[in-house]
Amino acid sequence: MGKITIGLVAAALLSVSCMAESGKSAQKEVVKPSISEESLGLRKTDIYTESNTVADKTAYGTAQATTSTRIKRAFQDAPPMIPHDTVGMLPIKAGDNSCVGCHMPEVAPAMGATPIPVSHFTDFRPRGKLVNGVFVEAVNNYKNEVSITKHDTLQNARFNCSACHAPQSQGKLVVENTFEPVFTSKDGADKSTWDEKKYTNSLNTVIGGASFVTEDDLANKNSKAGTLGDAAH
């Protein structure tokens, strides 16, 4: 009986010692704070419902055309923002474009508007044709031919002004914008550097210009995928 009693007492003491050590370990552990799902995104609301999610209100310019102040460009040659009210002007349609009434080059100076640039009157899209039922390209890229022609009318590829030009809005930014533009020209914030000559100067593909077509290019001109090293495709 003595041995059994001594054994039980030893076991009890050991158990109490273990519990004490466990308690000390638990006290040393730092409880990490939980991260809510709402705090993970920018919206800061319940991600499982839209009932309490309301976007910040934004305000577009209400100044009438010819009375607004021109907005600085975001970067060199960036499409200018629309500084005036666009109510009743959008959406722009092929047969209903209010923008041309003030921005055509012949009337823009008198209206105090930015004139539509020469690029919008230039056709950069060579037209193919069918010859005996076979499509024939209008230009031969392997002869450095390009088809760039200037017209007196606004090109159809440019008729939808709002595809690139958008009204400027004032609203609370969800993420602060720290972008700082570096302009390549002294008046880059107000004016584009593109002119009629610049469209072809940097192409190097005009007839008689320097060629970037190599012998390998010519060898693979009829291949749909070309080659990658020594592996044919």
Side-chain angles (χ1 to χ4, degrees), residues 126-138:
R127 301 294 189 270
K129 58 183 178 180
L130 289 176
V131 178
N132 297 325
V134 179
F135 178 79
V136 179
E137 294 181 347

Side-chain angles (χ1 to χ4, degrees), residues 12 40 65-66 90 122 179 200 208:
L40 295 176
T66 73
L90 303 176
T122 305
F179 174 78
T200 56

Side-chain angles (χ1 to χ4, degrees), residues 71-82 120 158 161 163-166 192:
I71 300 171
K72 299 291 184 181
R73 300 195 184 214
F75 51 88
Q76 185 67 55
D77 299 323
M81 300 293 293
I82 303 173
H120 293 34
R158 304 279 190 163
C161 309
C164 294
H165 305 281
S192 172

Side-chain angles (χ1 to χ4, degrees), residues 76-209:
Q76 185 67 55
D77 299 323
M81 300 293 293
I82 303 173
H84 57 72
D85 189 4
T86 58
V87 174
M89 299 181 182
L90 303 176
I92 294 172
K93 300 178 181 179
D96 183 13
N97 188 341
S98 301
C99 305
V100 296
C102 293
H103 291 277
M104 289 295 283
E106 59 269 22
V107 298
M111 302 298 293
T114 301
I116 300 174
V118 65
S119 61
H120 293 34
F121 296 90
T122 305
D123 185 3
F124 293 91
R125 298 179 175 181
R127 301 294 189 270
K129 58 183 178 180
L130 289 176
V131 178
N132 297 325
V134 179
F135 178 79
V136 179
E137 294 181 347
V139 297
N140 187 334
N141 295 325
Y142 291 95
K143 292 182 179 180
N144 301 320
E145 296 177 355
V146 293
S147 177
I148 299 178
T149 54
K150 182 182 176 183
H151 298 268
D152 295 327
T153 57
L154 187 65
Q155 291 301 290
N156 289 334
R158 304 279 190 163
F159 89 90
N160 188 11
C161 309
S162 58
C164 294
H165 305 281
Q168 176 68 67
S169 65
Q170 298 295 331
K172 181 181 178 181
L173 295 178
V174 177
V175 178
E176 181 184 359
N177 182 12
T178 59
F179 174 78
E180 295 182 4
V182 177
F183 297 101
T184 57
S185 63
K186 61 181 180 179
D187 54 357
D190 301 297
K191 186 179 180 181
S192 172
T193 61
W194 287 94
D195 56 29
E196 192 168 353
K197 294 180 180 179
K198 196 169 183 178
Y199 293 118
T200 56
N201 285 346
S202 60
L203 288 176
N204 289 323
T205 55
V206 292
I207 297 176

